[in-house]
Each structure stands twice: as C-alpha cells, then as structure tokens.
Amino acid sequence: MKHLPHFFGYPLMITVLTYCTSVENNQTETHSHPHPHDQAKETFSIEGLVDEVKTVPDSIIEYLHAQHHSHKVLERRTVPPGYETREMKYWTDYAANLDELPVINPGPGEYVHVMEGYKNGYQNLVIGITETFPGGAPPMHTHKGEESHVLLEGKILYALGDTLFTITAPYIINIPPMVPHAFKNIGEKTANLVVIFPTNVWEYDVLDYFPFNDKDKAGK
C-alpha cells in the first residue's frame, strides 16, 4: 500500500499489484488506426457516440469548488437523455452489453461507455469503461462523490490532487470526493479503464487546468 500526501483533508491511497515510477524517456509510440488520436485500434464499438450535455456552473457550484481547490470550474457535464430505462422484468434484463450503452468523448483519444444506474436497475451505482488510446486523456475534473479506477493492463500517468505519478496495471485507485484528477495513457496499447461511482447518474465538473502535455512520458 502506497500513501500519497493528504489533499484537502483526504488521504489519497493507491492499492497496487505493480507500481512503476518512471518510463524510459526515449520510448517511442507507433500505432495504426484510421482515427486521428495516435492511430490506435478500438477494443469496443463507438457507434453509440453521443454529445455530452454541458452546463455553465452557477454560484453554488463555484462556491463548492472553492472549498476544495484553487482551480476554476468551467462546466458541468452529464450524459444526455434518450436511451431507455430497463424494465428489469426478466433476469436477462439485468445484463447490459456495451453496444447498448451511450458512448461519450470526454477528451482527446478517450471514449467512455457509460452505464448509469437509474437506467439499469441500480440504486447507487454508475460504471464507465474507457477506451483510452495511447496519448489519450480526459480533462482535469472532479466528482461530488468518491470514485474508484480499476485497470488490469496498461501504463497510466495520473494527476491526482497536486501530484503526478506513473502506475502500471493491475491496480485500483481510490479518488476521494472533489479531488481534481485526470489520467493519460502513456502505454503503447489502448487502456480499458473501469471507473466506478456510488451514485446513479453520470456527472463531473471540468476544471480550467490540464496537467499533461505532449512530452509527458513519466510521473514524478
């Protein structure tokens, strides 16, 4: 168990089976894919791609963020309505294939299949499965509740609070409520990261700070 510095009163913890703190600086990435994002191949279909609903933060949202960090909140993002709530009449209704879920594109080179709990028979659970291409990353953001990241294979550069670090799967990361965070796939293969929230609606707030650049290869 590795312990990171406390961030606004929350102990940041990472449970890892393999932990890596550096990547070769001269590592090169070569991929082949028709999309513009670093030429990688998709693991899952993104035919269900939808535009996220983006709303301007009000004074209450801005005040909440000011209590936890110094960054400005730019917008709140949610998944648009339009896909049906399951009736949960038969046991087969309790299984959802990824191609039945909406797909969002939070940042360059990243797509997420989103399972919102209230649409799928859950009371307090949201799960997203990312399709993060090499070099792909979501924006720096926060959630009102806690979050867990699970990755079985891949190498990721994290920004968590005010800390940058590199970690190699398999791992589980605990992200406390309102802690700014983002991640970047610095491996050579697509990373299918599973994100889990104890809520039933997909929602996050985007901040005005992006911690990565094209030269990022390793954490500190």
Side-chain angles (χ1 to χ4, degrees):
M1 178 78 71
K2 296 286 185 179
H3 294 278
L4 291 178
H6 281 55
F7 183 77
F8 299 113
Y10 294 106
L12 303 182
M13 297 183 294
I14 307 170
T15 304
V16 300
L17 299 181
T18 307
Y19 185 82
C20 175
T21 57
S22 65
V23 184
E24 294 295 335
N25 290 331
N26 61 355
Q27 179 182 1
T28 58
E29 299 174 359
T30 57
H31 317 282
S32 59
H33 188 270
H35 292 286
H37 36 254
D38 285 333
Q39 305 300 309
K41 185 177 180 181
E42 295 152 0
T43 305
F44 309 119
S45 170
I46 58 172
E47 291 185 0
L49 187 64
V50 297
D51 292 328
E52 295 177 272
V53 176
K54 302 175 181 180
T55 57
V56 177
D58 57 24
S59 59
I60 296 177
I61 294 175
E62 292 177 345
Y63 178 80
L64 174 64
H65 280 268
Q67 308 310 304
H68 296 274
H69 58 81
S70 60
H71 305 302
K72 179 181 178 181
V73 56
L74 298 179
E75 61 189 15
R76 173 162 290 180
R77 296 184 184 180
T78 57
V79 175
Y83 62 105
E84 296 181 358
T85 299
R86 294 177 179 274
E87 294 184 4
M88 317 308 289
K89 185 176 181 180
Y90 305 104
W91 283 117
T92 53
D93 297 327
Y94 286 72
N97 292 327
L98 289 192
D99 57 9
E100 300 171 340
L101 302 176
V103 183
I104 59 174
N105 179 211
E110 193 203 30
Y111 298 88
V112 185
H113 287 73
V114 178
M115 191 290 298
E116 290 190 289
Y118 82 102
K119 289 286 187 178
N120 292 272
Y122 293 93
Q123 298 299 315
N124 204 38
L125 187 65
V126 166
I127 295 176
I129 299 180
T130 78
E131 190 80 87
T132 307
F133 298 97
M140 195 74 160
H141 63 280
T142 66
H143 305 279
K144 289 186 292 186
E146 61 186 352
E147 177 184 13
S148 180
H149 285 187
V150 181
L151 186 64
L152 298 181
E153 182 179 5
K155 185 174 290 183
I156 303 294
L157 172 61
Y158 269 91
L160 192 56
D162 56 2
T163 301
L164 284 177
F165 61 91
T166 301
I167 184 169
T168 301
Y171 65 73
I172 299 173
I173 292 186
N174 174 356
I175 303 176
M178 295 303 296
V179 172
H181 60 281
F183 60 89
K184 180 178 181 178
N185 182 0
I186 59 172
E188 296 185 351
K189 297 180 180 179
T190 296
N192 297 126
L193 183 75
V194 178
V195 298
I196 304 169
F197 306 91
T199 179
N200 65 3
V201 177
W202 179 276
E203 178 183 271
Y204 64 102
D205 293 338
V206 176
L207 307 180
D208 67 345
Y209 171 65
F210 188 66
F212 312 128
N213 57 56
D214 293 339
K215 296 181 180 180
D216 284 322
K217 290 288 183 179
K220 297 180 180 180

